[in-house]
Amino acid sequence: MKLIEQIHKDAINHTKTKIMEDLNLYLGKSEEIPLIEDYLSERRHYIEQIWVNVWLNKATNNISKQEKIHYLNEKGFETENVARKLINHTFRNEMRTYHPFNSYAWINEKYRNANENWRNQYENARIDFLRKEKEEFLRKEMYRLQDMLEETAIEIIEKNEELLYLHIRQFTGIQLASDMKSRTRYAPVDTFALEERLEEIGAFEKDAFLTVSSFFNELTGDIHKTIHEGRNYFEYETYYDRYERLIAEYLIEILPKIVIEQLPETINDDYKRVFSESISKSMIERILDFEYGFVANDLIEIIQEEYVSDLLKLSTIPFDFKEHRYLYEEALADRERKIAEEHAEIERKKAAEQRMLDDIFGQEYRPAVERNIRYTLHIGETNTGKTHHALERMKAADSGLYLAPLRLLALEVYDKLNQEGTPCSLKTGEEEKLVSSANHISCTVEMFHEKEIYDCIVIDEAQMLNDKDRGFSWYKAITKAHAKEVHIIGSWSAKEMILQLLGEADIEIFEYNRDIPLEVEKKEFKINQVKKGDALICFSRKRVLETASRLENARYSVSMIYGSMPPETRKKQVQRFINGETSVIVSTDAIGMGLNLPIRRIVFLENEKFDGTKRRLLTSQEVKQIAGRAGRKGIYDVGKVAFISDIRTMKRLLDAEDRPVQTFSVAPTNTIFERFQKYYHDLGTFFELWEKFESPNGTKKATLSEERELYNRIRGTEIEARLSITDLYGFLHLPFAKKEADLIWQWEQTMYAILNNTELPEPRIKKRTLEELELSYKAIGLHLLFLYRLDQRVEALYWERLREEISDHVHERLKTDVKNMTKKCRRCGEKLPWEHEFQICDNCHYSQSRRRYWE
């Protein structure tokens, strides 16, 4: 086989080369010429083994499998269906004996009787070895000296930080003077917005910039490449970018000179001894290559704090270390003095502002409880008769005031007392129903006035102290009520906070527990398991209507309750359930406050609710408040509770101990506005101060977000200009749905009518859909808020009657419209099955997911 013969020949040549390399290394290390016999004796094993290694590797690796098989077949080996590994092993064994090359004999023959050749070989090998040894020594010395130079150079830089900074300080001053004199100033834009053309706004004014950093934010007018989040971009260049580059270039010029001037003589001598030449500037530049950027970054951060005026003075002063150091220390001392003065001024203003905040807000939120009042606390769970007992005491008094959390409850108590023979008037922000000879009033808690005196006051749902926007109304009622006896009704969670507010007052506590136990069903609820007396709970108007429609179409009679439903309509819906006209009620969590209904079972169709920011799990208090409506003594002696999912978690929330109310909300009062006006006369500043004011421990501020948003719409207008701060805030604070664009428009138009002493614009009445009817009801409610505030009671009577008609329409439409409702995809409008869990169909969800993936 010609291939094997060629490979064999290559292996012999390769072996000879290896032996000669070994021989040269052996000879080169010897200081005196050794004998050939010494080499052969010491290296015999290597010489004999090198041939075997070289030949077997070449034969195995350079000959293909087919050629190996062909060779073995010729030798009589069976190779069919034999594994490749075994073929290689067999072939390798055969090659061990294939024409062996006697490497030992070859080297012995080459030099045994050739003394001259042996001597020449030694001398050449020795020269080559010494040359390589010297090169290796010089290489190591070069690295050693380079490391030493780099370390020393860094030490010199650190030692000369002040000198370097003074150089850079003067350089920057000269550059600033030049740029401000010759370059154009541009209007600011986003540096990445290259599509925007730069607008020239004139020359630079030296007095326009206090510090260098303010000048560095200006645009140079050029475009440069930058790296942002790992990617290369082009952007408009700022003077920071420009000076960072210029300072680095200037350092390349001055740093090597400073380093060479201050290098120790020992390093110079050492370098010269090894390399026979002096250290050059270019070598120092290479050594410091990675340092320029770091040093420049450090210096440019310091230079940004300098005053522009100080640096501009340096542009005409030649560099002298002592003089420039004196100027720098002088500027530094002056800057520190100015900074100290600025800080002192800031602290003075902060202290003055704090004194002002203390004067305006300080004393307002400390409880001042009357000591001659007898307080009675009614504390307990939902549906335990707390309110009933308190109202009985109020009925027995010569005069009384009931403060409700909701207009609906105020209306309920108004009806209850009048039906039971105790004349009672109704007052809410939107209506007044005055009953002749009535000494009792039922109203919402916001209608409380601390100057009015009664024999008995009842404050319901006192745990609402914790509400971030309305809690202050309960605080005022609890701490400033004027009556012989005050009854406060609340959950267990509110007990400790109420006691803290009342302090050392005369307090009697009644605690109430449920006579009717609550029983949680073990199986998850299914919609086809609805029975008479069930109340199904969900947390949006839309879900209430959809669920009611589904049940109506399944031949159930249904009552509905949701937050935006007119109270009169809600009352009728509740009455239908009480009278047995409907068998099931579908409600939001509005059912959890004050409504006592014959409910057999509370069913949670959702475990989460949207709180205005995000969907979250219900709190323990929310679950208890709603679940507590199950059961009615004499009708359902066990209240049942069911959940649609995650029963274990929800039962844990239901069984958990009440977390005590630890804070109560505070809000602005007329007294606060009076104090505020000693300092300022605009509401915008008031809202800013309200943000800065830190409410006392145990309190939290009302956000006033809706009031501020409404104020921003009329800021600077005639409305703000012509109204006192107190009156304007009163109008901003009117309780209406401030997210409804139509109502905001109506509010603005009414405000202008009041200012111009013209007739108030009538609210828009639309009746085509259920939504329009509900919005019309709210619009009339807003109109009534203005009428009662302006004491136009006769006019208000007409609109109250019209609002009642609207609520009747809502009630009738609920009977008809709900049954015809269908569940539709909110994207494409396709009809969805009732049991479909989501608000969009599967096709829309799939297309939306694909779009997000490709984006």
Side-chain angles (χ1 to χ4, degrees):
M1 295 175 66
K2 289 183 179 180
L3 179 60
I4 290 181
E5 290 172 4
Q6 181 60 47
I7 292 172
H8 185 268
K9 185 177 179 181
D10 291 344
I12 291 172
N13 291 333
H14 193 179
T15 300
K16 290 177 179 179
T17 302
K18 287 280 189 183
I19 292 171
M20 291 307 297
E21 288 174 356
D22 182 68
L23 174 62
N24 285 333
L25 183 60
Y26 179 85
L27 293 173
K29 287 180 178 179
S30 303
E31 294 183 3
E32 295 181 357
I33 185 170
L35 298 174
I36 181 64
E37 289 79 8
D38 295 338
Y39 172 72
L40 292 174
S41 172
E42 290 177 29
R43 302 298 292 164
R44 184 182 188 101
H45 178 74
Y46 173 79
I47 294 168
E48 291 176 344
Q49 188 62 36
I50 191 66
W51 159 252
V52 177
N53 292 343
V54 170
W55 165 238
L56 289 181
N57 283 339
K58 283 186 176 290
T60 304
N61 297 331
N62 296 346
I63 296 175
S64 68
K65 179 184 176 182
Q66 293 302 321
E67 289 170 328
K68 291 173 184 176
I69 290 171
H70 181 67
Y71 180 85
L72 292 175
N73 287 339
E74 286 185 346
K75 293 293 183 179
F77 288 95
E78 179 59 47
T79 59
E80 191 171 351
N81 297 324
V82 176
R84 181 189 189 100
K85 190 173 181 181
L86 184 56
I87 288 173
N88 283 337
H89 179 71
T90 306
F91 181 78
R92 188 177 178 88
N93 285 339
E94 284 296 305
M95 291 298 102
R96 287 181 182 277
T97 57
Y98 181 87
H99 303 312
F101 170 65
N102 192 337
S103 52
Y104 182 83
W106 172 75
I107 193 67
N108 186 32
E109 182 182 344
K110 184 175 178 67
Y111 292 108
R112 173 69 72 177
N113 298 314
N115 292 335
E116 188 64 28
N117 289 344
W118 178 252
R119 176 169 292 281
N120 290 338
Q121 191 70 33
Y122 168 73
E123 289 174 353
N124 290 335
R126 183 65 177 167
I127 291 168
D128 189 54
F129 176 80
L130 292 174
R131 178 182 57 78
K132 289 180 180 178
E133 195 174 57
K134 184 177 181 181
E135 288 174 356
E136 180 64 18
F137 170 77
L138 291 173
R139 186 179 65 82
K140 289 180 179 178
E141 283 293 281
M142 182 182 71
Y143 287 141
R144 181 182 68 81
L145 288 168
Q146 188 170 328
D147 290 343
M148 187 185 297
L149 272 172
E150 187 173 345
E151 188 176 329
T152 306
I154 291 171
E155 288 175 0
I156 292 170
I157 291 170
E158 290 174 351
K159 190 172 69 175
N160 288 273
E161 281 181 354
E162 187 179 31
L163 174 64
L164 278 174
Y165 183 67
L166 294 176
H167 272 294
I168 294 302
R169 197 166 178 263
Q170 187 203 34
F171 171 79
T172 306
I174 294 169
Q175 196 64 47
L176 276 172
S178 172
D179 286 339
M180 287 190 167
K181 182 178 180 181
S182 60
R183 296 180 74 89
T184 303
R185 191 176 182 188
Y186 296 94
V189 297
D190 181 354
T191 58
F192 286 113
L194 295 180
E195 70 279 3
E196 293 190 34
R197 292 178 62 85
L198 295 184
E199 177 189 349
E200 295 185 6
I201 56 175
F204 284 105
E205 297 290 338
K206 296 175 183 178
D207 296 336
F209 305 99
L210 177 63
T211 62
V212 174
S213 63
S214 60
F215 174 75
F216 278 180
N217 288 328
E218 296 289 319
L219 300 172
T220 67
D222 296 327
I223 294 172
H224 76 135
K225 188 163 78 171
T226 185
I227 296 176
H228 182 68
E229 295 183 352
R231 297 179 64 182
N232 288 323
Y233 292 92
F234 286 94
E235 65 168 347
Y236 285 120
E237 182 187 57
T238 64
Y239 279 95
Y240 180 93
D241 304 317
R242 172 178 164 78
Y243 276 65
E244 186 179 38
R245 185 178 67 253
L246 291 173
I247 288 172
E249 291 170 357
Y250 184 60
L251 285 173
I252 294 172
E253 181 183 332
I254 65 170
L255 262 183
K257 293 178 183 176
I258 294 172
V259 171
I260 287 176
E261 287 172 3
Q262 299 188 29
L263 272 177
E265 284 298 320
T266 53
I267 294 179
N268 267 314
D269 294 344
D270 204 6
Y271 189 88
K272 201 165 187 178
R273 175 181 57 77
V274 174
F275 296 106
S276 302
E277 60 181 31
S278 298
I279 297 171
S280 65
K281 179 174 176 286
S282 60
M283 171 171 281
I284 298 298
E285 285 178 0
R286 288 197 302 273
I287 287 172
L288 296 177
D289 190 43
F290 290 106
E291 292 299 317
Y292 297 121
F294 294 120
V295 177
N297 283 338
D298 290 342
L299 295 174
I300 201 169
E301 289 305 314
I302 302 171
I303 208 79
Q304 286 188 92
E305 298 175 5
E306 294 265 14
Y307 290 145
V308 169
S309 57
D310 290 337
L311 294 190
L312 290 175
K313 293 175 186 174
L314 303 176
S315 60
T316 58
I317 302 174
F319 186 82
D320 175 78
F321 176 72
K322 289 183 179 179
E323 184 178 359
H324 275 254
R325 182 168 64 178
Y326 172 77
L327 292 171
Y328 176 53
E329 289 172 350
E330 190 179 53
L332 195 60
D334 184 55
R335 192 163 85 228
E336 288 174 353
R337 180 182 57 78
K338 287 179 180 176
I339 290 171
E341 288 173 357
E342 288 170 5
H343 284 169
E345 179 64 14
I346 290 169
E347 290 302 315
R348 188 193 65 75
K349 287 181 178 178
K350 282 173 66 175
E353 185 178 81
Q354 190 57 52
R355 287 194 298 272
M356 178 183 66
L357 291 173
D358 289 341
D359 181 38
I360 295 171
F361 303 109
Q363 303 297 319
E364 190 65 17
Y365 304 114
R366 294 176 187 166
V369 176
E370 291 286 338
R371 300 301 179 199
N372 60 345
I373 295 175
R374 187 163 180 268
Y375 293 91
T376 302
L377 268 61
H378 300 269
I379 301 295
E381 300 167 329
T382 304
N383 208 4
T384 53
K386 305 187 300 291
T387 306
H388 171 75
H389 286 91
L391 287 175
E392 288 300 306
R393 289 294 305 161
M394 190 180 94
K395 284 165 59 179
D398 290 337
S399 64
L401 177 70
Y402 170 74
L403 300 175
L406 302 172
R407 179 170 160 252
L408 173 66
L409 293 185
L411 187 62
E412 188 178 279
V413 170
Y414 160 78
D415 287 336
K416 174 183 172 65
L417 265 60
N418 283 304
Q419 288 168 9
E420 294 175 356
T422 301
C424 180
S425 296
L426 175 71
K427 286 186 179 181
T428 69
E430 301 176 32
E431 64 196 323
E432 284 188 8
K433 295 184 179 180
L434 302 179
V435 175
S436 61
S437 74
N439 293 321
H440 292 72
I441 299 175
S442 177
C443 63
T444 49
V445 68
E446 281 82 5
M447 299 300 293
F448 169 76
H449 293 289
E450 58 188 271
K451 294 180 180 178
E452 296 176 354
I453 301 174
Y454 299 87
D455 285 332
C456 180
I457 295 178
V458 175
I459 305 168
D460 206 353
E461 302 290 356
Q463 70 274 6
M464 292 287 287
L465 269 166
N466 200 36
D467 185 272
K468 65 184 176 68
D469 290 315
R470 299 180 64 210
F472 187 58
S473 297
W474 276 268
Y475 168 81
K476 277 200 307 180
I478 291 169
T479 60
K480 299 182 186 299
H482 281 223
K484 293 177 182 177
E485 56 182 285
V486 175
H487 292 260
I488 304 171
I489 304 163
S491 66
W492 292 104
S493 62
K495 179 181 175 181
E496 292 303 319
M497 176 58 74
I498 295 170
L499 290 175
Q500 285 182 42
L501 293 179
L502 298 181
E504 301 298 320
D506 179 15
I507 305 170
E508 183 179 14
I509 302 176
F510 291 100
E511 296 183 347
Y512 298 77
N513 291 296
R514 288 179 62 94
D515 294 329
I516 299 172
L518 286 179
E519 181 183 290
V520 176
E521 295 187 350
K522 295 180 180 179
K523 291 185 178 180
E524 292 181 348
F525 176 82
K526 306 293 181 188
I527 197 71
N528 58 6
Q529 297 169 349
V530 172
K531 293 180 181 177
K532 182 179 179 181
D534 282 350
L536 309 185
I537 309 301
C538 35
F539 297 101
S540 70
R541 173 186 178 278
K542 186 173 185 292
R543 186 79 189 271
V544 166
L545 295 176
E546 286 180 353
T547 304
S549 179
R550 182 177 184 181
L551 292 172
E552 289 273 4
N553 283 287
R555 300 187 182 280
Y556 289 94
S557 53
V558 183
S559 287
M560 288 152 274
I561 300 174
Y562 50 85
S564 60
M565 177 183 285
E568 296 86 355
T569 306
R570 191 184 312 190
K571 182 179 175 182
K572 289 176 181 177
Q573 290 287 317
V574 166
Q575 199 59 46
R576 291 185 71 210
F577 184 72
I578 293 171
N579 295 341
E581 296 174 38
T582 58
S583 58
V584 179
I585 192 164
V586 182
S587 175
T588 62
D589 48 352
I591 202 173
M593 196 169 288
L595 291 175
N596 292 315
L597 301 167
I599 295 172
R600 182 184 72 90
R601 174 174 62 172
I602 289 285
V603 179
F604 287 82
L605 296 183
E606 297 179 271
N607 297 341
E608 296 180 338
K609 67 179 289 188
F610 182 72
D611 62 6
T613 305
K614 62 183 179 181
R615 283 191 66 82
R616 59 162 176 81
L617 186 68
L618 296 173
T619 65
S620 174
Q621 185 61 38
E622 287 167 339
V623 174
K624 289 178 180 180
Q625 187 83 12
I626 298 167
R629 295 297 163 192
R632 186 72 177 266
K633 199 167 184 178
I635 303 175
Y636 303 116
D637 292 331
V638 174
K640 294 185 179 292
V641 183
F643 299 99
I644 202 162
S645 64
D646 203 0
I647 295 173
R648 182 179 297 179
T649 298
M650 302 309 292
K651 187 176 187 306
R652 188 176 71 246
L653 293 173
L654 181 61
D655 295 338
E657 285 189 22
D658 283 351
R659 294 178 62 183
V661 173
Q662 295 181 339
T663 60
F664 62 89
S665 291
V666 295
T669 63
N670 286 344
T671 305
I672 282 176
F673 282 115
E674 288 170 9
R675 292 177 186 150
F676 168 76
Q677 289 177 86
K678 291 190 299 183
Y679 301 93
Y680 299 101
H681 297 281
D682 69 290
L683 264 181
T685 302
F686 178 83
F687 285 126
E688 291 173 9
L689 292 180
W690 182 255
E691 284 293 312
K692 293 178 181 179
F693 159 59
E694 292 186 12
S695 62
N697 289 338
T699 69
K700 57 184 177 182
K701 295 181 295 186
T703 61
L704 307 188
S705 56
E706 289 187 345
E707 289 84 350
R708 176 179 284 198
E709 194 171 327
L710 195 56
Y711 167 72
N712 287 335
R713 290 180 64 93
I714 54 90
R715 188 172 193 167
T717 65
E718 183 185 5
I719 296 174
E720 182 181 27
R722 292 178 56 185
L723 287 174
S724 70
I725 286 179
T726 309
D727 286 342
L728 177 57
Y729 182 79
F731 284 119
L732 292 170
H733 194 58
L734 288 177
F736 70 96
K738 296 183 177 74
K739 301 295 182 185
E740 296 281 0
D742 284 359
L743 298 186
I744 292 173
W745 180 86
Q746 178 184 332
W747 180 88
E748 285 188 66
Q749 298 307 306
T750 306
M751 292 298 298
Y752 282 114
I754 292 170
L755 293 177
N756 296 319
N757 201 26
T758 59
E759 192 173 335
L760 301 189
E762 293 188 355
R764 295 172 176 173
I765 308 299
K766 298 178 183 178
K767 302 180 181 180
R768 290 175 301 178
T769 64
L770 181 61
E771 288 81 2
E772 286 186 351
L773 281 168
E774 289 175 352
L775 185 58
S776 297
Y777 184 93
K778 292 176 185 176
I780 295 173
L782 175 58
H783 191 58
L784 284 166
L785 286 172
F786 280 107
L787 292 175
Y788 281 115
R789 193 173 184 88
L790 300 172
D791 204 27
Q792 297 181 17
R793 299 176 186 278
V794 176
E795 179 78 6
L797 289 174
Y798 164 77
W799 287 101
E800 279 191 24
R801 286 196 297 271
L802 183 57
R803 184 172 65 171
E804 202 165 322
E805 289 178 16
I806 295 291
S807 73
D808 289 339
H809 284 305
V810 172
H811 183 66
E812 294 304 317
R813 291 295 285 267
L814 282 170
K815 290 180 182 178
T816 56
D817 289 16
V818 169
K819 194 165 186 177
N820 298 324
M821 282 185 67
T822 56
K823 187 171 185 177
K824 294 181 179 180
C825 172
R826 69 183 182 194
R827 288 186 176 276
C828 67
E830 180 186 345
K831 187 176 178 181
L832 297 173
W834 286 113
E835 61 274 9
H836 190 77
E837 185 177 355
F838 304 103
Q839 299 297 315
I840 62 174
C841 65
D842 292 340
N843 288 336
C844 288
H845 173 70
Y846 175 71
S847 62
Q848 179 177 303
S849 300
R850 285 195 62 186
R851 187 161 57 251
R852 285 178 183 163
Y853 173 81
W854 288 111
E855 287 173 355

